[in-house]
Amino acid sequence: MSPSRLLRGALGVAGVAAMSLGAVLLLTDREVGSPVGVLTWLAAAVVLHDGVLVPLVLAIGALLPLRARRPLRAGLLAAGCLTAVALPVMLRQGQGANPSVLPLDYVGNWGLAMGVVAVATACGVALGRVRRRGRGRGRRYR
């Protein structure tokens, strides 16, 4: 058996074990309110990602310039995923009787993360331009 097949098998076994542990904890942990509520939240996350986020990113990406399409799609996808993860805590911040439950500045931290994504995306676009220029020069002198 090849090493890559062994590695794939080991990773598959580890993944099934982690999912099994998660399922057991979901059903037995007293801190989990309702397993049905968690499953509903997970289903909503899948629908949001696959039904809204991905089609939106692909549609916007189709309108982008061809040369910058890949890094811009990646940046849009990262921004969408970060927003989907941060949205629940941003919407609940300041609500409830105990202000220490959500004590951080989630909107500010989300903005910082969006800035990092924007800078990384701009670097990806710039790197693509530099690579294309380098390839173009090499072809002229051959």
Side-chain angles (χ1 to χ4, degrees), residues 37-52:
V38 173
L39 293 175
T40 303
W41 183 86
L42 288 172
V46 169
V47 169
L48 176 67
H49 181 270
D50 293 349
V52 177

Side-chain angles (χ1 to χ4, degrees), residues 8 20 31 53 62 98 130:
R8 274 192 234 143
S20 300
E31 292 184 24
L53 180 62
N98 187 354
V130 167

Side-chain angles (χ1 to χ4, degrees), residues 43-62 72-87 110 114 117:
V46 169
V47 169
L48 176 67
H49 181 270
D50 293 349
V52 177
L53 180 62
V54 172
L56 184 65
V57 167
L58 292 177
I60 292 171
L72 289 173
R73 276 186 180 173
L76 285 170
L77 193 59
C81 289
L82 281 169
T83 301
V85 168
L87 197 58
W110 173 82
M114 291 297 108
V117 168

Side-chain angles (χ1 to χ4, degrees), residues 2 14 17 23 25 30 38 43 45 65-66 69 73-74 85 100-101 112 118 121 123-125 133 141:
S2 70
L25 291 175
R30 292 177 188 226
V38 173
L66 186 60
R69 192 171 286 174
R73 276 186 180 173
V85 168
S100 66
V101 172
L112 181 65
T121 301
C123 288
V125 170
R133 283 187 195 154
Y141 295 115

